[in-house]
Amino acid sequence: MSKEWSTTTRYFVFALVLAGFIWFITAAEALIGALAISALLAYLLNPIVTVVNKRARVARSLVVFLVYLLSLGAIITVTIIFVPAIPEQTASFLEDMQELMTQAEQDFLAEPLVILNTEIALDGLLPEADLSELVSSFIRADIIVQLLQTSTTNLGWILVVLVATYYLLQDWDKLREWLFSWAPDPFESDFRRLYGEIKLVWNRYFRGQLRLSIIVGLLTGAGSLILGLPGAILFGVFAAIFDVLLSVGPAIIMIIATMVALLAGSNTLEVSNTIFAFIVLAFNLGIQGIENIWLRPRIMSSSVRIHPAIIFIAIVGSLSLAGVLTALIIVPVLGSIAVISRYTYHKLFKMDPWADNARMASRIIEDTEEAKTAASSQNTAVESTD
């Protein structure tokens, strides 16, 4: 029989493992981000693969392959359709911006501004050079090389995400059982119970995000339609889709909507394009304010059982300190930490970590029995009256 480690040896080995784990997280930050995206994609696609696998009675490997084939086909199709149009759309956008700048200079900056009998010339505020020349001045060899290096690096990480997501989908159940096998025998049931509760937190979060996206899409589409913004329905649809990107997605939709309002004007309001652009911008800012300050904290609070103030502070802090990806998952991560912390607290003080759930289940049973008793007594009373 192998000799057991002493307490000192166990603590020493645990400290080494913990230090190595922290070093790995620090050194492989980019890799961990790619793997986190892969795990998130696999988690979202796994229910679809599982349902198709069970109902169609097709091998899971074949279902995963078909899902990947369809996804890659959609990406390639979108690339073929939209990428060739980028240069033409960019040139058209630059021409429209040049016309807007020329018109603004003629309408607002032609005459000097008089303040306290002092004339201030405004005609030199806008650049006189052509926008295409300004853009071409940035196209230099060093910038092109840097862009190519960045694109190559991003392409490599995209490849890592695609491959990792494929294998996670392929062996999701095996990987989960492998992780459970690491738990000591007396605590395997606890680990499975924790996994179930954490999974419930993430499911509630995604349902809350879906509900929030639908609300934002409906508000954006209906408001844009009332204001007379061209393509109002499309803006509502894209607002719902890009809402998952928190501040980045809504900012993109807001900028595009403002540019469309500035170039095309309103179909219902009798105002100038400039004023209409400010109206559309204020409308989108108002929706984002309502969503981020009131709707998102409350919907996510009811979904993951965390106070709205904590959710608001966590999202804002994550956006400021760690970026969009962290802010995207910070709410379910906090919910998962709350589940693990509650379990740890009960174990530290030698209490049953599942007592609250058992008590809640007993209350549900008691309420159900009381309701059945009240209903039967009411039926008896009615029969006696008859």
Side-chain angles (χ1 to χ4, degrees), residues 240-369:
I241 296 174
F242 283 91
D243 187 68
V244 297
L245 297 179
L246 299 179
S247 60
V248 176
I252 295 174
I253 301 300
M254 189 185 310
I255 293 173
I256 296 176
T258 304
M259 294 304 303
V260 170
L262 189 61
L263 296 174
S266 173
N267 296 329
T268 57
L269 301 178
E270 297 295 333
V271 294
S272 65
N273 291 7
T274 304
I275 296 177
F276 182 57
F278 280 110
I279 294 175
V280 171
L281 179 61
F283 169 71
N284 284 275
L285 286 174
I287 289 181
Q288 288 307 304
I290 294 173
E291 177 191 7
N292 294 321
I293 296 176
W294 187 67
L295 278 178
R296 186 182 296 278
R298 291 185 176 276
I299 290 178
M300 293 304 170
S301 174
S302 62
S303 298
V304 298
R305 308 295 191 268
I306 299 177
H307 194 275
I310 297 177
I311 292 178
F312 177 78
I313 295 172
I315 293 176
V316 173
S318 299
L319 284 172
S320 302
L321 300 176
V324 177
L325 178 61
T326 304
L328 180 63
I329 63 174
I330 188 63
V331 174
V333 167
L334 285 178
S336 303
I337 292 175
V339 171
I340 297 174
S341 300
R342 185 168 59 249
Y343 172 81
T344 306
Y345 170 81
H346 283 80
K347 283 297 184 180
L348 285 175
F349 292 96
K350 298 181 179 181
M351 296 185 296
D352 184 8
W354 320 119
D356 293 340
N357 295 341
R359 193 179 301 115
M360 184 177 298
S362 63
R363 288 179 180 176
I364 294 174
I365 294 174
E366 291 176 0
D367 292 342
T368 305
E369 294 296 333

Side-chain angles (χ1 to χ4, degrees), residues 108 207 380:
F108 304 105
R207 287 198 295 267
T380 303

Side-chain angles (χ1 to χ4, degrees), residues 220-232:
T220 303
S224 300
L225 192 63
I226 293 173
L227 292 176
L229 180 67

Side-chain angles (χ1 to χ4, degrees), residues 68-359:
Y68 250 70
L69 190 64
L70 292 175
S71 301
L72 291 177
I75 294 174
I76 293 173
T77 303
V78 171
T79 303
I80 293 175
I81 293 175
F82 289 101
V83 169
I86 291 177
E88 181 182 353
Q89 295 298 323
T90 303
S92 177
F93 174 75
L94 292 175
E95 292 178 1
D96 294 335
M97 288 299 297
Q98 185 67 45
E99 293 179 1
L100 287 173
M101 292 172 63
T102 304
Q103 188 66 32
E105 187 173 3
Q106 293 175 355
D107 295 343
F108 304 105
L109 306 179
E111 298 183 0
L113 180 65
V114 179
I115 300 177
L116 298 177
N117 296 325
T118 302
E119 294 185 354
I120 301 176
L122 303 178
D123 53 356
L125 293 178
L126 295 178
E128 297 181 358
D130 187 17
L131 282 178
S132 60
E133 296 178 359
L134 293 176
V135 173
S136 62
S137 65
F138 290 97
I139 304 178
R140 303 194 307 268
D142 56 341
I143 295 181
I144 293 176
V145 172
Q146 185 177 0
L147 288 175
L148 288 176
Q149 291 177 348
T150 304
S151 301
T152 304
T153 303
N154 292 335
L155 184 61
W157 287 122
I158 291 174
L159 183 62
V160 170
V161 169
L162 291 177
V163 174
T165 304
Y166 176 82
Y167 282 109
L168 285 174
L169 276 176
Q170 185 74 27
D171 300 319
W172 183 273
D173 296 335
K174 295 180 181 178
L175 178 61
R176 181 183 58 196
E177 294 301 322
W178 175 77
L179 290 175
F180 287 152
S181 67
W182 281 79
D185 291 338
F187 301 103
E188 183 177 352
S189 61
D190 284 3
F191 274 51
R192 292 183 180 274
R193 190 77 171 265
L194 280 174
Y195 171 80
E197 292 203 2
I198 292 174
K199 182 180 178 181
L200 182 60
V201 168
W202 284 80
N203 289 339
R204 287 174 175 173
Y205 167 74
F206 285 118
R207 287 198 295 267
Q209 180 61 56
L210 178 62
R211 187 162 68 248
L212 182 64
S213 297
I214 293 174
I215 293 174
V216 171
L218 290 175
L219 289 176
T220 303
S224 300
L225 192 63
I226 293 173
L227 292 176
L229 180 67
I233 304 300
L234 286 178
F235 278 111
V237 173
F238 283 115
I241 296 174
F242 283 91
D243 187 68
V244 297
L245 297 179
L246 299 179
S247 60
V248 176
I252 295 174
I253 301 300
M254 189 185 310
I255 293 173
I256 296 176
T258 304
M259 294 304 303
V260 170
L262 189 61
L263 296 174
S266 173
N267 296 329
T268 57
L269 301 178
E270 297 295 333
V271 294
S272 65
N273 291 7
T274 304
I275 296 177
F276 182 57
F278 280 110
I279 294 175
V280 171
L281 179 61
F283 169 71
N284 284 275
L285 286 174
I287 289 181
Q288 288 307 304
I290 294 173
E291 177 191 7
N292 294 321
I293 296 176
W294 187 67
L295 278 178
R296 186 182 296 278
R298 291 185 176 276
I299 290 178
M300 293 304 170
S301 174
S302 62
S303 298
V304 298
R305 308 295 191 268
I306 299 177
H307 194 275
I310 297 177
I311 292 178
F312 177 78
I313 295 172
I315 293 176
V316 173
S318 299
L319 284 172
S320 302
L321 300 176
V324 177
L325 178 61
T326 304
L328 180 63
I329 63 174
I330 188 63
V331 174
V333 167
L334 285 178
S336 303
I337 292 175
V339 171
I340 297 174
S341 300
R342 185 168 59 249
Y343 172 81
T344 306
Y345 170 81
H346 283 80
K347 283 297 184 180
L348 285 175
F349 292 96
K350 298 181 179 181
M351 296 185 296
D352 184 8
W354 320 119
D356 293 340
N357 295 341
R359 193 179 301 115

